[in-house]
């Protein structure tokens, strides 16, 4: 229950943030943690870099690399960006906040037998 809005909130609002690197510099702009089957999240972000300017925050979850949403999840996060096979990297993150004028998601948190 969210008293100020007098509504039930069933999950978290977040926005999808897209960051493109055309020079292979993703590993110098941010550091990832997690992986090996767990969520991959941002543990360091360079102030003023492309990810910071796009709205990525510490703790933002990595959703995809070059459109692939699964393969990177089972790798060690410290190696994901340095072993990308192309200098052109497109990353998508789930960042906290409301999507204003762009595509966003609401992640529902529930426990159901169905």
């Amino acid at each position: 229950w969210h008293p100020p809005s007098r509504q039930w909130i069933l999950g978290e609002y977040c926005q999808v943030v897209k960051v493109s690197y055309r020079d292979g510099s993703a590993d110098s702009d941010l550091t990832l943690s997690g992986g090996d089957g767990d969520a991959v999240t941002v543990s360091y972000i360079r102030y003023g870099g492309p990810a910071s300017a796009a709205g990525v925050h510490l703790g933002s979850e990595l959703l995809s690399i070059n459109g692939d949403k699964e393969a990177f999840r089972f790798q060690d996060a410290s190696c994901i960006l340095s072993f990308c096979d192309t200098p052109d990297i497109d990353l998508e993150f789930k960042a906290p906040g409301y999507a204003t004028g762009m595509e966003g998601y609401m992640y529902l948190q529930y426990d159901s037998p169905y």
Side-chain angles (χ1 to χ4, degrees), residues 60-103:
S60 295
E61 182 180 345
L62 181 63
L63 297 176
S64 73
I65 298 176
N66 293 336
D68 183 355
K69 298 179 186 242
E70 291 298 321
F72 67 90
R73 295 185 188 276
F74 300 100
Q75 299 175 14
D76 181 10
S78 63
C79 302
I80 290 174
L81 297 178
S82 59
F83 289 115
C84 284
D85 57 354
T86 175
D88 297 342
I89 302 172
D90 295 315
L91 305 175
E92 284 187 344
F93 293 93
K94 179 179 89 169
Y98 293 95
T100 56
M102 59 174 32
E103 181 181 345

Side-chain angles (χ1 to χ4, degrees), residues 12-82:
E12 64 174 323
Y13 281 99
C14 58
Q15 58 186 333
V16 174
V17 178
K18 299 177 183 180
V19 184
S20 296
Y21 296 92
R22 297 295 169 235
D23 56 359
S25 65
D27 57 345
S28 65
D29 188 42
L30 48 86
T31 303
L32 303 173
S33 62
D36 292 325
D38 292 329
V40 178
T41 59
V42 176
S43 58
Y44 166 80
I45 188 164
R46 183 171 54 93
Y47 179 76
S52 175
V56 177
H57 303 281
L58 288 177
S60 295
E61 182 180 345
L62 181 63
L63 297 176
S64 73
I65 298 176
N66 293 336
D68 183 355
K69 298 179 186 242
E70 291 298 321
F72 67 90
R73 295 185 188 276
F74 300 100
Q75 299 175 14
D76 181 10
S78 63
C79 302
I80 290 174
L81 297 178
S82 59

